[in-house]
Amino acid sequence: MMKREDVILVTGSDGMVGHALVHHLRGNFTHVVALTRKDCDLEDREATRKCFQSHQPKFVFHLAAKVGGIKANISDPVGFLQANALISCHVLEAAYKVGAHKTLVLGSSCIYPRECPQPMREEYIMTGPLEPTNEGYALGKILGLRLAQYYHQQHGMNVVCPVPSNIYGPGDTYDLERSHVLSALVRRFVDAREEGRNSVTLWGSGKARREFVHVEDVVRGMLFCMQQLNTPEIHNLGPGTDCSVAELAEKIKALTGYKGRIDWDTSKADGMPRKCMDVSRLKALGFTTQVSLENGIREVVKEYETIYTREHK
Ligand SMILES: NC(=O)c1ccc[n+]([C@@H]2O[C@H](COP(=O)([O-])OP(=O)(O)OC[C@H]3O[C@@H](n4cnc5c(N)ncnc54)[C@H](OP(=O)(O)O)[C@@H]3O)[C@@H](O)[C@H]2O)c1
């Protein structure tokens, strides 16, 4: 169990998930080391080793990763695989060398095979080919999780491996080159409403189904895993329910008050046809998510409206 005065280190602390986690940790623990790229480039093995040596963390939340939307993933598979593989190798080695008491490695639901039976159970990982549009990223994430499990198997290192579905919430990026589907849709509809456009064109057919988990639920889930689990087994983290991208778009359209039309550009890839996780493993241990999709979207709309107003003053 993490105690109030334990040194807790978070990688990727200025990202969406890291920011929310650090905010929570700082309210409850006294020695939180919030690492950013400025403190240490985790692609640099020696710098990572030195950084961990100087902080001597007892608990490590490893969240740093090269993350991006479908567009970025398609154009830079080399970058996504290489960065994520290197970062995880260096962080796990450094955590092992300082004798960290427990290390959490955050996965991602894109590690499941493209044609995965639904809902996706943890044992289906590595049973089939990955979705090609984000294969580089997925391979990097799989490597991080498997390496954590090898460290446990070979050296008895205490690691925990939650795997969240698509994460959204405050602090997400609205840059359309990098953004994920939910924040991108919020931006498209708010922009179209403010600029009086008659229609919004969205990528794909709208038929792909996705599961969304609010960042606060991811924080709660990670804390639950860190405090309660002592096994390197994968644990899916999410609500365990999905919706089609078209349903999501209609929901966001309604919540932003946009009155125009939605057109679908079916020449663009949909990505994986369906991604919904079986969350019974964490549920059986007592963890369930709490934020409803409607309330979560409302919060994101509010955040982006504030950004829009600030940028268009
Ligand atoms: N967002 C999702 O939908 C989602 C879903 C499932 C799992 N996850 C996982 O959740 C974790 C956090 O994701 P997020 O959405 O919060 O992404 P994010 O906002 O992009 O945060 C990732 C953080 O990692 C940092 N980072 C990347 N490369 C680094 C390096 N070489 N050295 C040091 N720091 C580095 C980034 O710093 P810079 O900004 O300086 O690059 C950034 O602060 C990741 O492990 C991701 O795989 C995310």
Side-chain angles (χ1 to χ4, degrees), residues 11-18 35-38 40-44 62-67 83 87 106-109 137 141 164-168 171-172 178 180:
T11 71
S13 72
D14 55 357
M16 169 177 55
V17 181
L35 280 193
T36 68
R37 188 190 287 272
K38 275 196 219 104
C40 173
D41 179 356
L42 302 167
E43 285 186 53
D44 180 335
H62 173 37
L63 315 182
K66 182 174 166 68
V67 175
I87 290 171
L106 193 62
S108 163
S109 60
Y137 171 72
K141 297 299 289 182
S165 41
N166 294 279
I167 307 171
Y168 75 99
D172 207 345
R178 290 181 59 226
H180 295 272

Side-chain angles (χ1 to χ4, degrees), residues 167-181:
I167 307 171
Y168 75 99
D172 207 345
T173 176
Y174 297 96
D175 166 3
L176 292 176
E177 294 295 311
R178 290 181 59 226
S179 55
H180 295 272
V181 59

